[in-house]
């Protein structure tokens, strides 16, 4: 059974940094796209960043501040978030897209205080 477990969320002051981690179990996901989405109340879930075969993709709002990376040996995807802004406050969800199915983590809260 596929399971995605996120960690690393929390409360940070504006300008600070956090690193999110997501460990995927139940499959190797070697050729899958792994990524992070975020959602705030009343808004649609939006893509933050994803990575596949070394190619990365970022939302314009996080370019230059966030970095996504992947460790295949540990089936883990990371999101390094620097220069955090109050607008980055959201629940962040790990996502794995294998083409015929998409898997989601339970979400981790990131709160940035001004």
């Amino acid at each position: 059974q596929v399971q995605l477990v996120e960690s690393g969320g929390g409360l940070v002051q504006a300008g600070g940094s956090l690193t999110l981690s997501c460990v995927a179990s139940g499959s190797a996901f070697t050729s899958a796209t792994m990524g992070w989405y975020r959602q705030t109340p009343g808004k649609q879930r939006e893509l933050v960043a994803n990575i596949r075969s070394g190619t990365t993709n970022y939302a314009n709002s996080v370019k230059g501040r966030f970095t996504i990376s992947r460790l295949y040996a540990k089936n883990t995807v990371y999101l390094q978030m620097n220069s955090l802004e109050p607008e980055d406050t959201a629940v962040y969800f790990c996502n794995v897209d294998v083409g015929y199915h998409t898997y989601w983590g339970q979400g981790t809260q990131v709160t940035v205080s001004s």
Side-chain angles (χ1 to χ4, degrees):
Q1 182 175 348
V2 173
Q3 195 171 19
L4 306 180
V5 179
E6 301 126 332
S7 61
L11 173 64
V12 65
Q13 287 189 332
S17 299
L18 283 174
T19 300
L20 305 182
S21 301
C22 173
V23 180
S25 61
S27 181
F29 299 122
T30 304
S31 59
T33 300
M34 298 186 76
W36 292 92
Y37 286 69
R38 66 187 181 188
Q39 188 171 23
T40 54
K43 292 189 176 181
Q44 283 192 330
R45 196 170 293 188
E46 62 173 4
L47 174 69
V48 177
N50 60 21
I51 183 170
R52 181 175 186 270
S53 300
T55 299
T56 57
N57 178 43
Y58 294 93
N60 287 333
S61 59
V62 306
K63 281 181 181 177
R65 300 188 298 122
F66 291 10
T67 302
I68 190 169
S69 60
R70 185 170 177 176
L71 189 59
Y72 284 91
K74 293 189 175 182
N75 238 7
T76 301
V77 62
Y78 303 94
L79 186 68
Q80 173 68 43
M81 304 185 293
N82 298 326
S83 302
L84 282 160
E85 303 168 353
E87 292 73 23
D88 296 316
T89 295
V91 178
Y92 285 70
F93 295 89
C94 178
N95 170 276
V96 175
D97 183 353
V98 298
Y100 57 85
H101 193 76
T102 299
Y103 300 94
W104 293 95
Q106 79 285 357
T108 185
Q109 177 70 45
V110 171
T111 303
V112 184
S113 63
S114 56

